[in-house]
Amino acid sequence: MARGVLVLGYHRDDGAPGIAPLALAGVRAAEALVRGGDVAVVVCSGYARGDGPAEGALMVDAWSGPPVELVAETAARDTVENATFALALLRERHVDRLELVCAASHAPRVR
């Protein structure tokens, strides 16, 4: 079995292009978890608002941590969909332990 990390996306409040600072902070936290060892896959989850790239893809593109399987889940529009869509990807990879990385504003919804 394997350990995975799920990073929930966060959109930019200012409407500017690129990755939101909170999403980038989540990527950096996931990198630290991978550096700690024993992580098989990191799933970055979040959709695209408007015509820009999806949050999941932006987070994968921002990765500068150790080599690990990175998966961009780009359809989830809310926290429930983040969990639902990512779960399928994690099960495909036989993940049985999960670390969740999210912004404080997600915390009440992920309990």
Side-chain angles (χ1 to χ4, degrees):
M1 296 307 236
R3 179 174 163 224
V5 175
L6 170 58
V7 186
L8 301 186
Y10 199 88
H11 66 275
R12 291 186 69 107
D13 290 327
D14 61 6
I19 191 168
L22 283 174
L24 184 58
V27 171
R28 297 299 173 247
E31 291 170 353
L33 289 170
V34 171
R35 276 196 246 0
D38 193 31
V39 174
V41 60
V42 175
V43 175
C44 298
S45 180
Y47 80 119
R49 287 181 173 238
D51 296 329
E55 296 164 8
L58 288 169
M59 290 187 291
V60 166
D61 289 346
W63 187 265
S64 62
V68 67
E69 181 182 5
L70 295 170
V71 179
E73 186 291 301
T74 60
R77 296 166 295 171
D78 58 37
T79 308
V80 171
E81 288 184 355
N82 289 131
T84 302
F85 300 161
L87 182 60
L89 297 168
L90 293 162
R91 282 186 173 159
E92 287 172 6
R93 289 156 177 83
H94 308 287
V95 169
D96 64 339
R97 293 168 308 202
L98 181 66
E99 302 274 347
L100 177 66
V101 177
C102 66
S105 61
H106 284 125
R109 295 188 300 268
V110 299
R111 290 184 182 174

